[in-house]
């Protein structure tokens, strides 16, 4: 049973304050979790409060309710968080404190059991599959100004024989992108997730990534494709009813045409948020056109929310869902979304945020839920924290 929950402000990878939670149990279990933070957040996400405000509210309302709750009963922990908050978007205590506590409690429970977190979360019926890591290698949008309009170009080492080889392949693509940019005389800083953020057009970025992927594919001898997070809700202008690419705009139909063309031209493995978060119909149309050969993934569209996912399933919008525990506030809610997705044949992609910490819970979550993919960057300490944890899990060294 939980005997104490302590909360503090720690740094995230952007240098902003975020919430870290420590949970202790009667039998000596200890767990620590930290909330990540998005920059291109979806309109329908659970609410993140300023860290100090969230901590103060959670101390007042949630901590007293959590004392005495059995940490091994994740639903009881998460129900206590929901009851303490009393809203449906965690706007009272903040989804940042909620998710930090939810993850810390799960780790404390695993600690009591002496089991790795993925085993505690996944149980005896967990499969033996490992997720394919999607590695952000070029990006712009809300993660880097003056770079590409498309937020993320993601290496997808779909043919890798092991997690370790996949993780290293993504790092090799990241390095190869730097080489290709250098050969073209393009200087590049890095964006919030460690991807290269070159001042080039989207069209040139496709050439660069395609070339980098080809080079690494030749080296490693297994299939590497790539994909995108277009974060199109950030491109979409409600007033103009158009997707805005600098001086150019595209209507919804033109955007569908553009993305379908890219899928075919580059054999894209994955396209996240190709359309606005309110346009289920356009999502359905694109899925109908190219969903047989690529994953169309809803991030801002679904926000890890079962109701929004159910609407998407009913409409035939997308064929996969991005899972971000802090978008919904608890691990139980994230599991519910995974389960609904799985029952309806939707692929799941467990994901980091652009603002991250060293917390590696999502690596365990991806393994526990048999997710097909995990999106957690390529390089940089807050990203390698998850990637290296995946390598350890695969090596049975956790
Ligand atoms: P965010 O971006 O964490 O800034 O929201 C990640 C994503 O859109 O997938
Ligand atoms: Zn996204």
């Amino acid at each position: 049973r939980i005997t104490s929950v302590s909360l503090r402000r720690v740094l995230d990878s952007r240098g902003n304050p975020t919430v870290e939670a420590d949970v202790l149990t009667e039998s000596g279990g200890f767990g620590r979790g930290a909330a990540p933070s998005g920059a291109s957040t979806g309109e329908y996400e659970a609410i993140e409060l300023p860290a100090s405000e969230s901590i103060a509210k959670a101390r007042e309302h949630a901590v007293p309710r959590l004392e005495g709750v059995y940490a091994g009963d994740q639903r009881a922990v998460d129900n206590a968080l929901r009851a303490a908050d009393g809203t449906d978007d965690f706007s009272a205590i903040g989804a940042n404190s909620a998710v930090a506590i939810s993850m810390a409690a799960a780790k404390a429970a695993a600690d009591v059991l002496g089991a790795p977190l993925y085993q505690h979360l996944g149980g005896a019926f967990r499969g033996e599959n490992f997720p394919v890591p999607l590695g952000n290698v070029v990006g712009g949008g809300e993660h880097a100004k003056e770079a590409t309009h498309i937020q993320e170009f993601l290496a997808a080492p779909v043919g890798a024989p092991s997690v370790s080889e996949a993780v290293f392949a993504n790092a090799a693509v990241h390095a190869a992108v730097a080489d290709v940019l250098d050969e073209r005389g393009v200087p590049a800083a890095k964006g919030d997730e460690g991807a290269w953020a070159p001042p080039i057009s989207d069209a040139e970025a496709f050439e660069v990534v395609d070339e980098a992927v080809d080079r690494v594919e030749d080296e490693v001898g297994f299939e590497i494709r790539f994909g995108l997070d277009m974060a199109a809700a950030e491109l979409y202008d409600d007033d103009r009813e158009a997707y805005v690419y600098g001086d150019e705009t595209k209507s919804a139909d033109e955007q569908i045409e553009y993305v379908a063309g890219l899928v075919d031209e580059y054999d894209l493995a994955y396209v996240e948020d190709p359309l606005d978060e309110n346009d289920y119909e356009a999502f359905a149309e694109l899925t109908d056109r190219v969903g047989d050969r690529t994953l169309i993934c809803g991030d801002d569209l679904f926000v890890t929310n079962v109701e929004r996912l159910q609407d998407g399933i009913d409409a035939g919008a997308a064929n996969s869902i991005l899972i971000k525990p802090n978008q919904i506030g608890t691990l139980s809610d994230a599991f519910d979304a995974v389960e609904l997705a799985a029952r309806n044949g939707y692929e799941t992609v467990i994901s980091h945020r652009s603002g991250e910490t060293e917390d590696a819970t999502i690596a365990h979550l991806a393994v526990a839920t048999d997710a097909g993919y995990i999106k957690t960057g390529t390089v940089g300490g807050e990203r390698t924290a998850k990637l290296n944890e995946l390598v350890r899990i695969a090596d049975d060294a956790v």
Side-chain angles (χ1 to χ4, degrees), residues 321-339:
I321 177 173
L322 207 72
I323 300 288
K324 292 168 164 169
N326 85 317
Q327 270 181 335
I328 192 72
T330 72
L331 286 179
S332 298
D333 291 298
F335 264 79
D336 289 344
V338 168
E339 208 183 353

Side-chain angles (χ1 to χ4, degrees), residues 98-113:
V99 81
I101 294 169
S102 183
M103 297 192 301
K107 290 194 209 177
D111 188 33
V112 171
L113 295 172

Side-chain angles (χ1 to χ4, degrees), residues 13 34 54 78 94 103 164 203 217 219 230 273 276 297 306 336:
S13 55
S54 178
D78 294 339
M103 297 192 301
S164 167
E217 205 171 35
E219 247 170 65
M230 301 191 74
D273 283 348
D276 182 57
C297 186
V306 289
D336 289 344

Side-chain angles (χ1 to χ4, degrees), residues 38-40 143 151-152 193 229 272 299 324 353-354 375:
S40 74
H143 295 168
Q151 183 178 285
E152 301 166 25
E193 294 182 356
D229 180 1
E272 180 180 325
D299 168 17
K324 292 168 164 169
R353 301 306 305 246
S354 51
K375 187 174 92 153

Side-chain angles (χ1 to χ4, degrees), residues 85-143:
D85 181 85
T87 70
D88 51 15
D89 58 4
F90 276 112
S91 49
I93 65 168
N96 33 348
S97 282
V99 81
I101 294 169
S102 183
M103 297 192 301
K107 290 194 209 177
D111 188 33
V112 171
L113 295 172
L117 180 60
Y118 70 85
Q119 190 63 43
H120 167 54
L121 293 175
F125 296 98
R126 183 184 64 81
E128 289 218 326
N129 301 325
F130 280 89
V132 174
L134 298 171
N136 192 355
V137 293
V138 169
E142 294 296 304
H143 295 168

